[in-house]
Structure formats: C-alpha cells, structure tokens
C-alpha cells in the first residue's frame, strides 16, 4: 500500500515510512541466459529516499543516483520493506 504526495517523485516516502529498494544490475551480457536460472554476475545497490548506496571494490561504500551503475546494465528492482526512520540526515 503506497500513497503518493502529489505528482512529483518523493524518493519512495509513504505514510507508513520509506521504501527500501534493492536495485540489481547485470555485469555481463551472459546474464541474459543465466538470470532465468537464478544465477549470474550481478552488482546491487540499496535505494532509500531517492539515493542509491553501493559498495565498490577499492571505493568502499558510496552514494549515487538510482538505477545508474557505471559498467553495468540495470536489470530489476526488488522492494525489501519499509524503513521507519526520518530524514536523510539519519542516513549519513
């Protein structure tokens, strides 16, 4: 159950909390054949309030725009649940 506040993007915020989303990316074209089998070479990022948090080898944890990962192709988004926290200052 989700309630939108107006027509603009609200970063996944609902009356019940903030949606936590897992964005999945393909790291190889072979995933077109492997993904239906439940395997593959993937990268993931967790999206909260319109910001995606990822881990990169050598770069540690970093933030960036959702559904954009250099060298990877966005595959799908999985809703993980709802975070009951407040503003973005709690994420930093």
């Amino acid at each position: 159950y989700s309630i939108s506040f107006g027509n603009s993007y609200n970063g996944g915020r609902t009356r019940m909390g903030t949606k936590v989303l897992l964005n999945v990316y393909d790291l190889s074209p072979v995933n077109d054949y492997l993904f239906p089998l439940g395997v593959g070479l993937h990268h993931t990022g967790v999206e909260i309030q319109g910001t995606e948090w990822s881990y990169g080898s050598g770069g540690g944890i970093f933030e960036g725009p959702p559904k954009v990962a250099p060298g990877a192709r966005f595959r799908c988004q999985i809703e993980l649940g709802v975070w009951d926290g407040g503003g973005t200052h709690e994420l930093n």
Side-chain angles (χ1 to χ4, degrees):
Y1 181 72
S2 175
I3 298 173
S4 175
F5 299 105
N7 294 328
S8 63
Y9 180 68
N10 61 15
R13 185 91 179 135
T14 70
R15 288 186 190 261
M16 303 303 289
T18 300
K19 287 183 185 180
V20 178
L21 306 164
L22 182 70
N23 294 328
V24 180
Y25 301 87
D26 290 331
L27 293 177
S28 171
V30 76
N31 282 359
D32 289 338
Y33 305 101
L34 297 176
F35 189 78
L37 302 173
V39 296
L41 302 169
H42 297 98
H43 168 75
T44 59
V46 177
E47 181 181 340
I48 302 172
Q49 292 184 330
T51 299
E52 184 171 299
W53 300 85
S54 300
Y55 175 82
S57 180
I61 298 173
F62 60 94
E63 65 179 284
K67 300 181 184 176
V68 177
R73 183 183 74 190
F74 178 75
R75 157 87 47 191
C76 64
Q77 187 175 70
I78 302 166
E79 188 171 334
L80 298 177
V82 175
W83 174 59
D84 293 326
T88 56
H89 64 280
E90 293 181 14
L91 297 173
N92 296 324

